Amino acid sequence: MASAPRMSDDPVPKKEKWINRQRVLVFASRGINHRDRHLMDDIKTLMPHHRPESKMERSKNLQIVNEMCEMKNCNKAILFEGRRKRDLYMWLSNVPNGPSAKFLVENIYTMGELKMTGNCLRGSRPLLSFDENFNSTPHNHLLKELLSQIFGVPNHHPKSQPFFDHVYTFSILDNRIWFRNFQIITEEGELAEIGPRFVLNPVKIFAGSFGGETLWDNPHYISPAKYRQSLSKIAGGKYLNRVEQKLAAQINKPEKSYHLNPMDEIFKGDVLEKAEKLQEEENEHMEDQSTQNTTRPMKKMKKKFQPSKKKEKENTNSIKKKKAGKLQKNKSGVKIKKKTILGKSKQVQSS
């Protein structure tokens, strides 16, 4: 039978079958990036049983989140915490008794970036698909239970739709939890991805809510600051590595790679053409030698008959002196020597 008509002013009747009253408080601290904020909005759209909250100051202690959850009547919490406007951490907690887990969120892709073909009705309930590796270790089993309670939409929730049309897949690979969201297109199992995408790198699991004793610490976890520092060191040592590689290549370089036989190339191609070329080269070589032998002795003979420049200068100076130096004697017995310099005559008396 059809239900009786309801006036718009009348309150919405409560569903009595709503037994699992899970409410999740989804909010962030100040200092997150714009992409992280869009990821938080996407998670809010996927979870109709969430409760919003304004940003929390970073100076406050995380234990205040428990009081905020009590004020909002929530028993689960998702907190996005930003560091250095680069790194994003996600807290998943069971309020107020715990446990709680801290994750580093990596490889974030929001719905607006991906633009996938998949689509689902807003507020519909999802199927949760977990990898077999979640049952291998106790900490993975605990994370599976925590994720299923937070991301699973309760049955007969007032803001949810009473059918399943999409799937959340949680798979473990490379010591990380990979999240994907797919639409169920057909009953045979055809899927289309909707988004968002992100990877959760677990850091620690605490016994209490946002604190307490550490139940498990990830030995494979490396902080993003140390990872960036290692990358900068590797980039700084590129020059030294290049120099070392050059020196190693010069040391290990052989003197002769392999021996060649010059007679192997003779039989490649046309034999007659190569024989003619070799004959022409020999003839040219013989002509060059003959021309060199004929020109060399002529040059030597010329050098023998040509007097040197120094001897020519000495001969000319001696001739000039003989012409210019003439001794004359006067009646008084005084010797007079005449010299001609540049056409001018001078008399020099010598006693």
Side-chain angles (χ1 to χ4, degrees):
M1 294 177 65
S3 62
R6 182 177 62 85
M7 299 298 292
S8 61
D9 296 333
D10 296 339
V12 178
K14 293 182 180 181
K15 295 181 181 180
E16 297 178 355
K17 294 182 180 180
W18 182 29
I19 299 171
N20 184 15
R21 306 242 172 158
Q22 297 285 341
R23 299 183 185 89
V24 183
L25 186 65
V26 181
F27 67 109
S29 64
R30 292 193 179 275
I32 64 172
N33 198 359
H34 66 282
R35 179 176 290 177
D36 305 337
R37 187 174 65 253
H38 288 302
L39 177 65
M40 183 178 65
D41 294 336
D42 292 342
I43 290 175
K44 286 180 180 179
T45 56
L46 294 176
M47 299 170 63
H49 60 293
H50 82 278
R51 290 286 178 89
E53 181 61 29
S54 60
K55 292 181 181 179
M56 186 184 71
E57 296 293 336
R58 288 185 293 179
S59 61
K60 293 183 179 180
N61 191 5
L62 293 177
Q63 295 296 328
I64 301 173
V65 181
N66 298 326
E67 298 177 2
M68 296 168 66
C69 292
E70 289 180 2
M71 293 171 63
K72 290 284 185 177
N73 196 12
C74 296
N75 51 9
K76 299 290 187 296
I78 298 177
L79 173 63
F80 292 93
E81 187 180 1
R83 300 281 180 84
R84 299 181 182 180
K85 294 184 179 180
R86 289 184 178 182
D87 310 323
L88 178 66
Y89 291 91
M90 180 191 287
W91 285 83
L92 302 178
S93 177
N94 183 23
V95 180
N97 299 322
S100 61
K102 184 180 179 181
F103 300 92
L104 174 66
V105 187
E106 300 173 345
N107 299 332
I108 299 171
Y109 294 97
T110 59
M111 287 183 182
E113 291 177 346
L114 292 174
K115 296 181 181 179
M116 295 291 185
T117 57
N119 191 9
C120 65
L121 188 63
R122 187 185 181 93
S124 60
R125 298 182 65 196
L127 293 173
L128 301 180
S129 174
F130 289 92
D131 192 5
E132 294 179 354
N133 295 322
F134 279 96
N135 298 324
S136 61
T137 56
H139 67 273
N140 286 332
H141 191 73
L142 191 146
L143 292 175
K144 175 183 176 181
E145 187 64 27
L146 189 62
L147 291 169
S148 61
Q149 290 184 13
I150 290 174
F151 286 95
V153 178
N155 193 11
H156 299 290
H157 192 275
K159 294 183 180 179
S160 66
Q161 300 294 333
F163 53 84
F164 299 91
D165 64 346
H166 61 288
V167 184
Y168 295 161
T169 60
F170 298 93
S171 57
I172 294 176
L173 181 64
D174 195 14
N175 298 317
R176 291 170 174 83
I177 299 172
W178 299 65
F179 175 83
R180 296 289 185 272
N181 182 18
F182 296 95
Q183 179 196 359
I184 302 172
I185 298 174
T186 59
E187 295 180 357
E188 296 176 356
E190 186 178 354
L191 302 175
E193 190 174 357
I194 302 171
R197 292 179 179 178
F198 57 90
V199 179
L200 299 175
N201 188 2
V203 181
K204 284 183 181 182
I205 299 175
F206 300 95
S209 178
F210 293 97
E213 186 182 356
T214 57
L215 299 176
W216 177 77
D217 191 359
N218 188 2
H220 304 286
Y221 172 72
I222 300 172
S223 66
K226 288 185 179 180
Y227 180 70
R228 287 192 292 267
Q229 187 178 4
S230 65
L231 290 178
S232 63
K233 285 182 180 179
I234 292 169
K238 278 186 178 180
Y239 176 73
L240 295 175
N241 293 330
R242 189 163 61 248
V243 172
E244 289 176 358
Q245 288 177 2
K246 285 183 180 179
L247 292 173
Q250 290 177 0
I251 291 168
N252 297 325
K253 185 178 180 180
E255 295 180 356
K256 291 183 180 179
S257 58
Y258 52 89
H259 298 283
L260 294 174
N261 188 3
M263 301 301 292
D264 293 338
E265 297 181 356
I266 294 174
F267 300 100
K268 292 180 180 180
D270 193 358
V271 180
L272 295 175
E273 291 180 358
K274 288 191 175 183
E276 291 176 357
K277 288 180 180 179
L278 291 172
Q279 188 65 33
E280 290 177 357
E281 289 177 356
E282 288 181 358
N283 293 332
E284 290 177 357
H285 184 66
M286 294 295 290
E287 289 177 358
D288 293 336
Q289 287 183 352
S290 61
T291 52
Q292 289 177 1
N293 293 328
T294 53
T295 54
R296 280 177 184 174
M298 293 297 290
K299 290 180 180 179
K300 289 180 180 179
M301 293 295 289
K302 286 180 181 178
K303 285 182 180 180
K304 287 180 180 179
F305 291 108
Q306 286 178 355
S308 62
K309 293 181 180 181
K310 291 182 179 180
K311 291 182 179 180
E312 288 180 357
K313 288 181 180 180
E314 291 176 357
N315 294 327
T316 53
N317 292 327
S318 61
I319 293 166
K320 286 180 181 180
K321 287 179 181 180
K322 288 179 181 180
K323 290 181 180 181
K326 293 180 180 180
L327 297 174
Q328 293 180 0
K329 293 182 179 180
N330 294 333
K331 293 179 180 181
S332 59
V334 179
K335 294 180 181 179
I336 297 170
K337 186 178 179 180
K338 290 183 179 180
K339 290 184 180 180
T340 59
I341 299 169
L342 296 175
K344 296 180 181 180
S345 62
K346 291 183 180 182
Q347 292 181 359
V348 180
Q349 293 182 0
S350 61
S351 60

